Amino acid sequence: MSRKNKPGDEVIAKTTQDVKSDGKVVLPKGSKIVAKVTQAQARAKGQDESQLGIAFDHAILKDGSQMPVSFAIQAVGNSESAASADGGG
């Protein structure tokens, strides 16, 4: 993903289970979460890892309503683990 995306690109994720806060469902399973890429750096020659940062902005619930969210993911990937995860290709 870090090879194809650049900062500012939109990314849409989908919840695979209910997200709860204080025991109450705040994002039902199947909600879409809209995010922007904040950092994307493919592994360069001589580096062991690629980096990807994503900041989530809002969620779109099944009924079409939107809800603001604020959280981010910073991922660092090792080329060897990435290769094994996708079958080495």
Side-chain angles (χ1 to χ4, degrees), residues 25-49:
V25 174
V26 291
L27 286 176
K29 177 181 176 179
S31 299
K32 292 179 183 177
I33 307 172
V34 182
K36 294 263 194 254
V37 174
T38 58
Q39 177 186 9
Q41 181 179 344
R43 183 179 66 89
K45 191 172 183 175
Q47 292 182 320
D48 291 334
E49 300 171 326

Side-chain angles (χ1 to χ4, degrees), residues 3-72:
R3 286 188 194 275
K4 296 177 183 177
N5 288 103
K6 61 187 179 303
D9 285 354
E10 186 174 88
V11 176
I12 298 178
K14 187 180 273 192
T15 57
T16 57
Q17 59 188 9
D18 290 344
V19 177
K20 297 180 180 182
S21 177
D22 295 327
K24 181 181 175 186
V25 174
V26 291
L27 286 176
K29 177 181 176 179
S31 299
K32 292 179 183 177
I33 307 172
V34 182
K36 294 263 194 254
V37 174
T38 58
Q39 177 186 9
Q41 181 179 344
R43 183 179 66 89
K45 191 172 183 175
Q47 292 182 320
D48 291 334
E49 300 171 326
S50 58
Q51 297 181 8
L52 182 66
I54 300 175
F56 292 89
D57 179 63
H58 66 277
I60 302 171
L61 307 183
K62 287 183 179 182
D63 66 4
S65 63
Q66 294 189 18
M67 181 173 82
V69 296
S70 180
F71 54 94

